Amino acid sequence: MTGLLDIGDLGGSGIDTVIVAGVDMYGRLFGKRMPVRSFQRIVDEGLHVCTCVYAWDVDQDMDTLKVDFAGAHTGWHDFRLVPDVATLRRAAWLEGTAICLADSVDEDSGEPLPVAPRTILRRQVQGLRDQQLTAFTATELEFHLYRGTPDELRRTGYRNLDPTTLARSDYAIGAGNAMEPFFRVVRNALEASGIPVEVAQAEYGLGQWEINLEYADAIETADRHVLFKSAVADLARAHGMTATFMPRPLSDGMGSSCHIHASVRGDDGSTPFYDTDADRTASALLRHAVAGVLDRATDLMLFYAPTVNSMRRIISNDFAGNGLTWGFDNRTTTCRLITGGPSANRLEMRLPGADVNPYLASAAVLGSMRDGMSRQIDPGPPCTGDGYAESHGELPVTLGDAADHLDQSLFAATTFDKEVTTHYAAVARHEWLQFLRAVSDWDRDRYFETI
């Protein structure tokens, strides 16, 4: 694939800097830069990093967030990043730079860190591999793009935001043409970095855009996802703009989603989600997978909605689905089935917003699919009309509730390990308490004079 590199090619490739990066709990890249000559040693020995990256909150507060994995009680010990050389590629949006994603392993044993997102997804992928199935996924990621750099917007408290489109422009070619000088740079940089783009478009919300990447095996898709976000954010900054992946940056705006498409193929090349004799070619196995995703959605809501802001999109009518609903090509349902050909049949999980960690959300989808297929459960009749027409209250609507469901779920503890679910639930409860303690503009506008 164009953009991917062999270690031996670095010397003559115009690359002088290599970034070795892991992925934190929020789907963000962390790591270190080095000259090319140092990279081979890091490949052999690994890169030492403090465990704080898996023990602080989204704002890097490590004083009030308390988890068993790391902290003062462990001496803030190290772990190692071990480069996955198969991911080495140009970071074409940065001058003379390559990037290599890495797995997080224990400093002493060398075993994968259970709480690391790449570890969590890899175990679900392996669970399907044990059944002679390979998981393929794609993430459809939306984002808002505002004029002004992140520093400039931070100084104004993110008030009076200036969106890059001022009218609804969903699918509009004209709006896309106006921003094409920027998005052409983005697409070309992604392609040159081994992150192949399928399509791009202007979206419905003011300043909202969508770029879809080609599907791949589940880990490669998640890797591309986090690199894509980094590239878009970096290029936006370089062009005097800010990209935000908040699911709902404004109360009266459209939410940004991250729909996850998932399918499986057999080791023999078979397409077990396709059956010519079934309704709309959706095989019994595909229906079982859908049933599993819906049946476990409440337990795994935290992996689909990891922030307070996530819920603001989900409780709206922003095409995030409604409760435990599914249907054929129905965008008002939580789980949409797309059918029509052996390699095309797949499910689309519509709950996640643009803030998801793609490793965790994909692991949730795959683990639930595997559970549904194993139990051979049925999703019930499909929704054939407006999925929002009826009230469905099955899913958590607060971050605190989502944390409790994950922490109390026997299925989640068995599928992802109790250490993992306890850790992520603790992080989410901390975030929820931070929110509850904060007095906002909404509080003052609502209550200052009226109470």
Side-chain angles (χ1 to χ4, degrees), residues 404-426:
D404 288 343
H405 278 284
L406 182 70
D407 201 20
Q408 296 165 12
S409 168
L410 178 61
F411 163 76
T414 302
T415 304
F416 303 102
D417 292 339
K418 184 59 178 174
E419 178 183 356
V420 170
T421 56
T422 298
H423 185 81
Y424 280 89

Side-chain angles (χ1 to χ4, degrees), residues 26 32 77-78 133 158 203 210 220 347 372 377 387 420 451:
Y26 314 99
K32 299 181 182 181
H77 61 299
D78 276 354
L133 295 172
Y158 307 104
E203 262 292 349
E210 180 174 345
E220 174 66 16
L347 64 82
I377 56 177
V420 170
I451 293 297

